Amino acid sequence: MAVPARTCGASWPGPVRTAHPWPGRGPRPFPDPRGPASGPARPLLLLLPPLLLLPLLTAPGASAYSFPQQHTMQYWARRLEQEIDGVMRIFGGVQQLREIYKDNRNLFEVQENEPQKLVEKVAGDIESLLDRKVQALKRLADAAENFQKAHRWQDNIKEEDIMYYDAKADAELDDPEGEDVERGTKTSTLRLDFMEDPNFKNKVNYSYTAVQIPTDIYKGSTVILNELNWTEALENVFIENRRQDPTLLWQVFGSATGVTRYYPATPWRAPKKIDLYDVRRRPWYIQGASSPKDMVIIVDVSGSVSGLTLKLMKTSVCEMLDTLSDDDYVNVASSNITRANCNKMIMMFTDGGEDRVQDVFEKYNWPNRTVRVFTFSVGQHNYDVTPLQWMACTNKGYYFEIPSIGAIRINTQEYLDVLGRPMVLAGKEAKQVQWTNVYEDALGLGLVVTGTLPVFNLTQDGPGEKKNQLILGVMGIDVALNDIKRLTPNYTLGANGYVFAIDLNGYVLLHPNLKPQTTNFREPVTLDFLDAELEDENKEEIRRSMIDGNKGHKQIRTLVKSLDERYIDEVIRNYTWVPIRSTNYSLGLVLPPYSTFYLQANLSDQILQVKLPISKLKDFEFLLPSSFESEGHVFIAPREYCKDLNASDNNTEFLKNFIELMEKVTPDSKQCNNFLLHNLILDTGITQQLVERVWRDQDLNTYSLLAVFAATDGGITRVFPNKAAEDWTENPEPFHASFYRRSLDNHGYVFKPPHQDSLLRPLELENDTVGVLVSTAVELSLGRRTLRPAVVGVKLDLEAWAEKFKVLASNRTHQDQPQKPPFSAQQCGPNSHCEMDCEVNNEDLLCVLIDDGGFLVLSNQNHQWDQVGRFFSEVDANLMLALYNNSFYTRKESYDYQAACAPQPPGNLGAAPRGVFVPTIADFLNLAWWTSAAAWSLFQQLLYGLIYHSWFQADPAEAEGSPETRESSCVMKQTQYYFGSVNASYNAIIDCGNCSRLFHAQRLTNTNLLFVVAEKPLCSQCEAGRLLQKETHCPADGPEQCELVQRPRYRRGPHICFDYNATEDTSDCGRGASFPPSLGVLVSLQLLLLLGLPPRPQPQVHSFAASRRL
């Protein structure tokens, strides 16, 4: 719902509060209290200053009380600030923890992160890793070309002559119970044994290769058998590559015939439905088989295109889009805004035509013919296709026929063979390794990138004959994304520092926000850097510089989204970037200023020289569960401390595994990460001393606290007392905990109410004690070096603090003093006026604390306690809208391109009928019309309508929805709110005629809270708009697509283009025989087919068009 313009009410600034820890984003003009100049005059009452106005306004039903004065509410705010600060000083232990670190200064060193050196080292390590794969690729491509050149074609080859392992013949992985199933029975199919390999996350056989052949290709054809024959020799090269580099993962040869041979052998992961896998449609094959493409698609929408022909055209275009890679550009208009400037082509889908438009081609495309034209004759018709053949053949293209749905896939991908001709003719110059963007491995390896190298046909038809110009296929070697991540520093960068990498299109290869919720092996994972982060001008400049292959460094002020995606923080970040040589990637490093330095534990030489298990080290005993009752419960971050440490999602079990391993491991063991291990032990002792010095002697109940806690960079989270751990729901990895990361980025106390989804039930306070987290970072200064190695905090008892909140925001001078007229500061009688407060007048006065994301933290209304943690617009839409309109909050909208959505099949009610050509009476009277394609098309529709009753209904694929129940990828719109430019105390009126409301709002110093006092609403006439915070589905796949086309993001494809060669032979252009069909023959054939076959439902065609930048 659109949010009304900010003209809801008048506002007056109160005294400005200075030195606020939450800086604003600059002034913003406020609505003129007088309203528009041309509009009616506003009531005089609204123009009065607040000090004159407020005493005159009295809450209905409380004649003796008036709305509190501004100075009164400021006094309440100061009391709240003092109470929060007092509790945090006593129990948080910030100062005491600083002293503990200084007292243990001999146990750690302060190390510095030098961004330029770091990013250059990581870039060099990634380059070395990929270079080893490149050498293996070149050996494979050279061997493949030589094997094929030496191979003698056999016309009479038979299936029995070829022995190979058919990956589809073994369906073992399809059986969830792991039981044996029937395997292939052909003599040509090998039977292999497999062993589990954690590197491949699969069962493999290192002695053989496996072969996968698409479902729609006949395995016994002469072409396929000859392909299997010569590619068998690649097996030894695969094995030798692995011997030289044991870290190699999948090595794959994808043939232009559709055959895939990969190593090591493993059974194919066949889907539950029809297996539509074809290597020629994989992202890595498409990228390696041709240079980038500039494609324009033209679709015939004339009156003759209807029914089955229209359906075939739509499906063909969708299949055509699946043959594009990230480097390609596609458009449906005559002008491209941004282009690859390579392989310019027009793809024309039509049912026929008479005009060759020769004059157009002569003027714009001849004599060089820089634009190829591919024509597609779609449907069964009797139009003359000679003009289509002529257009393709005279413009270096190809002519295809798509008479039925079964011909779509093969005919929409074979144009790649034509585009590969200039590459083959260029020879060694075109033999360049390209690295893909991230995509999902079809064999279960997870997210990977692939190095690709084209394989050319080096044969000649005879002495002196022209060089062959066909591409044999593409060679590929996978690199798991996790292997690249292991080369990047993790825990030395702090919770909010990270490394990222992008390609020439701006898509991220590495990024902490690259987390696709669903993965589809048919589509690449394309997440732009500006979508992985919150976009701004500075990041656009950084992205452009990285794409151009430059080095750089820049400190920027930017917005970041919290880990739970509920909050926005304005932060300072340092960006440093360098190109990764010999690749099309660029690497970046992001560091907050407080992560310039980090702690490294320095266990004394005396301890390390003792070759005893780590469990004997000092402070290790405080990790044992036996110490939890007295020292508090310890959660350890589930990090890879040692290679043999068994991971577990259950932290108790993980701690048990860790302790058992430490009984065997010495402090200097080579199998462990000493940095992680020693820092963990150090922080165990540091946090235990905090218990000893601060927490153990304090009575938490006195201040209504459920728990106190400390979390550290070293991976320790200590919660005291031990019983509080039962209700601890934060992530045991501090770097993945929202409270930890936000506390580091903000000064002061950060409140975090429990997360409540608006679709879920409210909090059940009667059964469970609900807590509100309050945390703050510990800033440590050692000499001139400043860092934040820990976060401490408390967990407030919600109910008790809600009562305390009412007392602090009242006229009571002491918490234990009852609020009754005899003890009040003022006696209020019929003839006197007193100010309302949040305790006595809670039936008329609403008092709340809202955090910087707009979520309710505390309220003086008992019935709202179960709504704590909800977006305040769901609690009081009228008041939240007024706060937004008065600039207390600013809104940030963004799009999540990695979301997952449950399938939502549309109903039949709104479905449009299938397009049908309706002839006129003149057509019926014209004899020529009865022999035309239009009549034949109509006759087809009528025949189908008789056999399949649903033909004239909505498309079953659309009406019934996909039978798949799994989630699919979608785009979600996210909206977050954060504090705006107002850094003062304000009184304002929500002007709603007879339903107007007074309210006061003020930020609490040194917190992320907004204190709001308002009259309770008398009616709902003002609720014209409601602010939304929850994610909403974007049916159009994101923001306005036409707007994105007009403002395309900067892209830059590969530097070399191979789309022209003067020696290219274009004589093979798809010419085919064409004859006007006989109506009698066609009708007879159609009737025989329809009457001879049993009725069956129409096949459902599902197209999954990838989100592409145009």
Side-chain angles (χ1 to χ4, degrees):
M1 180 183 295
V3 177
R6 300 193 175 200
T7 57
C8 189
S11 61
W12 304 273
V16 177
R17 304 185 66 86
T18 59
H20 202 285
W22 299 80
R25 293 177 51 84
R28 179 162 54 185
F30 295 97
D32 190 337
R34 296 169 296 180
S38 59
R42 295 176 63 84
L44 181 61
L45 183 63
L46 294 180
L47 301 180
L48 295 175
L51 295 180
L52 297 178
L53 168 68
L54 295 178
L56 301 179
L57 296 174
T58 307
S63 58
Y65 291 93
S66 62
F67 192 79
Q69 294 284 347
Q70 183 169 340
H71 64 82
T72 300
M73 293 179 283
Q74 291 175 343
Y75 169 68
W76 295 345
R78 286 194 297 273
R79 293 176 68 176
L80 290 168
E81 293 166 356
Q82 292 168 1
E83 184 72 14
I84 294 168
D85 185 67
V87 169
M88 289 299 292
R89 285 181 181 276
I90 295 173
F91 292 93
V94 174
Q95 185 58 41
Q96 293 90 333
L97 193 55
R98 289 196 190 106
E99 295 172 359
I100 293 172
Y101 273 110
K102 291 178 180 178
D103 291 344
N104 292 273
R105 183 66 182 83
N106 63 311
L107 296 180
F108 61 84
E109 297 174 354
V110 179
Q111 302 292 347
E112 182 178 2
N113 283 315
E114 299 181 70
Q116 194 65 39
K117 289 183 178 179
L118 268 177
V119 75
E120 287 179 352
K121 180 184 182 303
V122 175
D125 291 344
I126 295 176
E127 180 189 358
S128 299
L129 171 69
L130 300 184
D131 185 64
R132 293 196 296 271
K133 317 307 176 188
V134 168
Q135 300 309 314
L137 262 179
K138 291 180 177 179
R139 287 192 294 268
L140 281 169
D142 291 343
E145 291 172 349
N146 292 330
F147 291 153
Q148 196 275 340
K149 186 177 181 179
H151 174 256
R152 297 184 61 183
W153 180 268
Q154 302 178 45
D155 289 323
N156 300 321
I157 193 170
K158 299 179 181 179
E159 286 190 75
E160 303 84 57
D161 300 333
I162 306 296
M163 294 295 294
Y164 68 98
Y165 172 64
D166 183 355
K168 286 186 175 181
D170 192 335
E172 182 178 276
L173 290 182
D174 290 340
D175 182 11
E177 302 298 328
E179 298 177 0
D180 291 336
V181 294
E182 184 178 357
R183 302 188 179 192
T185 56
K186 293 184 179 180
T187 56
S188 60
T189 300
L190 297 172
R191 294 188 178 184
L192 305 180
D193 295 321
F194 302 95
M195 57 181 292
E196 195 71 36
D197 191 314
N199 294 322
F200 288 89
K201 304 177 183 178
N202 219 326
K203 295 181 178 180
V204 299
N205 185 307
Y206 282 112
S207 300
Y208 293 90
T209 58
V211 172
Q212 191 273 351
I213 301 175
T215 304
D216 54 351
I217 293 180
Y218 174 47
K219 299 178 181 179
S221 71
T222 304
V223 172
I224 298 300
L225 292 177
N226 275 277
E227 192 83 9
L228 293 174
N229 193 15
W230 76 260
T231 58
E232 182 182 1
L234 290 173
E235 197 166 88
N236 292 330
V237 186
F238 286 141
I239 294 174
E240 176 61 20
N241 272 346
R242 181 178 179 272
R243 188 191 67 79
Q244 295 188 31
D245 182 4
T247 66
L248 281 177
L249 296 176
W250 299 122
Q251 304 176 62
V252 188
F253 174 63
S255 169
T257 62
V259 173
T260 304
R261 187 180 285 273
Y262 59 90
Y263 175 86
T266 189
W268 188 249
R269 298 169 66 93
K272 295 180 181 179
K273 292 188 169 187
I274 299 175
D275 183 10
L276 296 178
Y277 181 94
D278 190 323
V279 69
R280 295 167 295 183
R281 288 179 171 268
R282 298 294 284 143
W284 64 271
Y285 184 95
I286 294 170
Q287 184 166 321
S290 65
S291 294
K293 300 180 277 292
D294 276 323
M295 179 184 291
V296 174
I297 299 177
I298 298 177
V299 180
D300 184 358
V301 291
S302 61
S304 64
V305 178
S306 60
L308 178 61
T309 301
L310 180 60
K311 181 181 180 70
L312 290 176
M313 282 193 186
K314 290 180 178 179
T315 307
S316 297
V317 171
C318 290
E319 291 289 337
M320 177 67 70
L321 293 176
D322 282 343
T323 67
L324 300 178
S325 73
D326 293 337
D327 294 331
D328 300 332
Y329 291 76
V330 62
N331 212 329
V332 291
S334 59
S335 61
N336 280 337
I337 298 174
T338 56
R339 298 180 301 188
N341 290 318
C342 185
N343 274 325
K344 301 178 181 65
M345 70 191 76
I346 295 174
M347 321 299 279
M348 181 183 296
F349 293 87
T350 180
D351 62 352
E354 300 177 359
D355 192 356
R356 299 187 178 189
V357 291
Q358 182 171 342
D359 55 336
V360 175
F361 291 120
E362 288 179 349
K363 181 177 180 180
Y364 295 103
N365 201 36
W366 295 355
N368 293 329
R369 293 171 172 80
T370 56
V371 178
R372 297 181 188 267
V373 178
F374 296 88
T375 56
F376 299 82
S377 176
V378 184
Q380 300 175 7
H381 54 76
N382 66 343
Y383 284 138
D384 182 13
V385 296
T386 304
L388 297 180
Q389 294 172 340
W390 179 89
M391 282 189 279
C393 292
T394 57
N395 290 281
K396 297 169 62 175
Y398 208 92
Y399 165 75
F400 300 93
E401 291 183 353
I402 304 179
S404 63
I405 200 166
I408 291 177
R409 281 174 61 86
I410 188 67
N411 284 301
T412 53
Q413 70 190 23
E414 286 200 337
Y415 77 95
L416 292 172
D417 293 339
V418 177
L419 300 186
R421 293 172 183 171
M423 291 180 62
V424 179
L425 295 173
K428 292 184 178 180
E429 187 182 356
K431 301 279 288 185
Q432 299 194 14
V433 175
Q434 294 189 67
W435 287 96
T436 69
N437 186 35
V438 180
Y439 69 95
E440 178 77 7
D441 174 48
L443 290 172
L445 198 57
L447 295 179
V448 298
V449 295
T450 299
T452 65
L453 195 61
V455 179
F456 300 152
N457 191 331
L458 303 182
T459 61
Q460 291 179 313
D461 294 335
E465 295 291 331
K466 289 185 177 180
K467 182 181 178 181
N468 197 301
Q469 57 183 14
L470 293 179
I471 187 171
L472 290 178
V474 178
M475 200 68 70
I477 288 183
D478 289 346
V479 177
L481 202 59
N482 286 335
D483 290 342
I484 300 178
K485 287 180 180 178
R486 290 190 186 99
L487 301 176
T488 64
N490 289 324
Y491 303 107
T492 60
L493 303 181
N496 290 317
Y498 57 91
V499 172
F500 70 98
I502 65 174
D503 65 10
L504 296 179
N505 292 301
Y507 295 138
V508 296
L509 162 72
L510 295 174
H511 200 285
N513 293 335
L514 178 63
K515 296 178 288 189
Q517 300 301 308
T518 62
T519 50
N520 179 357
F521 75 82
R522 293 184 59 194
E523 296 294 343
V525 181
T526 51
L527 178 67
D528 196 281
F529 169 65
L530 297 179
D531 296 321
E533 304 190 3
L534 293 177
E535 181 177 358
D536 59 37
E537 292 183 0
N538 288 317
K539 291 176 183 175
E540 288 181 12
E541 293 178 10
I542 293 170
R543 177 182 177 274
R544 176 182 284 267
S545 179
M546 294 180 71
I547 290 175
D548 288 339
N550 300 323
K551 293 183 179 181
H553 175 83
K554 190 170 187 177
Q555 183 178 91
I556 66 173
R557 182 176 290 275
T558 186
L559 298 179
V560 297
K561 198 181 298 183
S562 67
L563 201 62
D564 55 15
E565 299 182 330
R566 285 159 58 87
Y567 299 93
I568 295 287
D569 289 311
E570 186 178 17
V571 300
I572 295 176
R573 292 289 189 264
N574 293 305
Y575 282 75
T576 308
W577 61 93
V578 297
I580 303 176
R581 291 172 296 183
S582 304
T583 73
N584 49 357
Y585 302 134
S586 185
L587 187 75
L589 172 67
V590 181
L591 272 181
Y594 53 79
S595 291
T596 303
F597 301 98
Y598 63 93
L599 299 184
Q600 180 172 354
N602 180 23
L603 301 183
S604 68
D605 295 337
Q606 188 176 15
I607 295 178
L608 290 178
Q609 287 172 1
V610 179
K611 302 299 183 181
L612 294 175
I614 287 182
S615 59
K616 303 302 181 182
L617 287 178
K618 180 185 177 183
D619 297 330
F620 185 86
E621 60 181 292
F622 301 120
L623 278 176
L624 302 177
S626 58
S627 70
F628 288 176
E629 197 60 39
S630 61
E631 312 299 331
H633 192 99
V634 173
F635 297 91
I636 67 170
R639 301 174 181 175
E640 192 175 348
Y641 301 99
C642 299
K643 294 179 181 178
D644 295 336
L645 178 58
N646 295 325
S648 175
D649 293 333
N650 184 296
N651 199 259
T652 301
E653 183 177 342
F654 181 75
L655 178 60
K656 178 184 176 183
N657 296 341
F658 176 80
I659 293 172
E660 290 177 354
L661 183 61
M662 294 304 104
E663 295 286 349
K664 310 170 187 175
V665 175
T666 58
D668 57 349
S669 172
K670 301 300 182 183
Q671 67 155 311
C672 294
N673 184 322
N674 285 338
F675 172 81
L676 294 182
L677 197 54
H678 295 172
N679 275 28
L680 183 76
I681 302 297
L682 171 69
D683 287 354
T684 300
I686 294 282
T687 55
Q688 186 277 332
Q689 291 181 48
L690 184 63
V691 176
E692 190 174 317
R693 295 190 189 186
V694 182
W695 296 346
R696 190 181 295 158
D697 297 331
Q698 299 290 348
D699 183 6
L700 302 185
N701 294 328
T702 303
Y703 288 87
S704 305
L705 302 181
L706 299 176
V708 288
F709 61 90
T712 70
D713 279 358
I716 290 293
T717 301
R718 189 179 291 275
V719 180
F720 186 88
N722 183 37
K723 64 179 181 179
E726 298 174 2
D727 301 319
W728 187 259
T729 59
E730 303 301 320
N731 197 310
E733 170 57 81
F735 284 15
H736 296 164
S738 182
F739 82 89
Y740 192 85
R741 296 173 65 162
R742 292 204 71 216
S743 298
L744 294 176
D745 271 333
N746 293 286
H747 291 283
Y749 308 125
V750 179
F751 281 70
K752 180 179 178 288
H755 181 206
Q756 277 211 75
D757 193 307
S758 59
L759 301 178
L760 301 179
R761 296 174 58 187
L763 296 172
E764 298 181 0
L765 296 177
E766 296 179 1
N767 300 328
D768 298 310
T769 303
V770 178
V772 175
L773 235 59
V774 188
S775 57
T776 186
V778 178
E779 188 164 283
L780 190 61
S781 295
L782 299 170
R784 295 182 179 180
R785 297 167 295 184
T786 302
L787 61 159
R788 298 175 186 172
V791 168
V792 296
V794 301
K795 193 173 186 180
L796 309 180
D797 184 326
L798 174 60
E799 290 187 73
W801 271 80
E803 293 291 349
K804 182 180 295 190
F805 168 60
K806 288 192 288 186
V807 172
L808 293 171
S810 73
N811 295 324
R812 211 197 297 190
T813 57
H814 193 272
Q815 182 173 346
D816 298 327
Q817 174 189 347
Q819 179 76 312
K820 295 181 180 179
F823 300 95
S824 298
Q826 287 181 291
Q827 296 287 337
C828 297
N831 299 322
S832 62
H833 288 279
C834 297
E835 296 180 16
M836 292 188 289
D837 68 30
C838 299
E839 183 181 22
V840 172
N841 308 100
N842 60 353
E843 294 184 1
D844 303 301
L845 200 64
L846 172 67
C847 303
V848 292
L849 289 178
I850 313 171
D851 70 15
D852 57 319
F855 298 97
L856 180 62
V857 176
L858 288 176
S859 173
N860 73 329
Q861 305 296 312
N862 293 19
H863 67 276
Q864 291 181 353
W865 291 355
D866 62 353
Q867 299 183 66
V868 165
R870 289 197 172 179
F871 187 57
F872 192 60
S873 186
E874 300 169 13
V875 181
D876 193 327
N878 182 232
L879 183 53
M880 184 63 196
L881 182 61
L883 294 172
Y884 173 73
N885 285 344
N886 284 275
S887 298
F888 283 101
Y889 285 95
T890 299
R891 178 169 55 191
K892 180 66 177 180
E893 294 179 345
S894 59
Y895 295 91
D896 179 7
Y897 292 92
Q898 305 176 90
C901 297
Q904 297 179 350
N908 292 337
L909 296 178
R914 186 181 302 276
V916 178
F917 171 73
V918 180
T920 64
I921 295 180
D923 290 328
F924 280 114
L925 297 178
N926 187 348
L927 183 62
W929 179 84
W930 286 97
T931 62
S932 69
W936 172 238
S937 178
L938 178 63
F939 188 64
Q940 271 187 309
Q941 295 165 7
L942 292 174
L943 288 174
Y944 274 105
L946 293 173
I947 302 299
Y948 306 123
H949 63 85
S950 63
W951 179 254
F952 291 101
Q953 298 176 3
D955 189 336
E958 297 177 353
E960 298 175 13
S962 170
E964 297 284 351
T965 58
R966 62 171 183 242
E967 293 180 328
S968 60
S969 61
C970 61
V971 180
M972 299 293 287
K973 182 179 180 180
Q974 293 184 342
T975 305
Q976 286 91 13
Y977 292 81
Y978 59 101
F979 280 155
S981 59
V982 176
N983 194 23
S985 173
Y986 266 73
N987 288 333
I989 294 178
I990 305 173
D991 184 14
C992 298
N994 294 331
C995 294
S996 296
R997 297 172 65 187
L998 284 169
F999 76 90
H1000 167 92
Q1002 177 176 339
R1003 298 257 292 275
L1004 295 188
T1005 303
N1006 211 35
T1007 72
N1008 65 328
L1009 296 180
L1010 181 68
F1011 176 44
V1012 182
V1013 179
E1015 291 180 318
K1016 295 184 70 172
L1018 298 178
C1019 56
S1020 59
Q1021 295 178 7
C1022 252
E1023 295 190 16
R1026 178 185 293 269
L1027 299 177
L1028 298 178
Q1029 192 273 337
K1030 64 179 181 180
E1031 280 191 332
T1032 56
H1033 183 258
C1034 295
D1037 289 340
E1040 290 294 335
Q1041 297 300 312
C1042 292
E1043 186 178 324
L1044 289 178
V1045 173
Q1046 298 302 321
R1047 299 182 296 103
R1049 287 172 175 168
Y1050 180 65
R1051 294 171 57 185
R1052 184 178 178 183
H1055 306 296
I1056 299 179
C1057 171
F1058 299 96
D1059 63 351
Y1060 176 79
N1061 191 292
T1063 63
E1064 179 183 347
D1065 181 7
T1066 61
S1067 59
D1068 182 11
C1069 57
R1071 287 192 179 94
S1074 177
F1075 60 91
S1078 164
L1079 179 62
V1081 173
L1082 289 175
V1083 171
S1084 300
L1085 290 174
Q1086 187 74 27
L1087 287 173
L1088 286 173
L1089 287 172
L1090 292 175
L1091 297 177
L1093 295 175
R1096 56 182 179 180
Q1098 279 294 105
Q1100 296 185 359
V1101 181
H1102 307 284
S1103 61
F1104 303 91
S1107 172
R1108 304 188 187 276
R1109 302 293 179 197
L1110 301 185

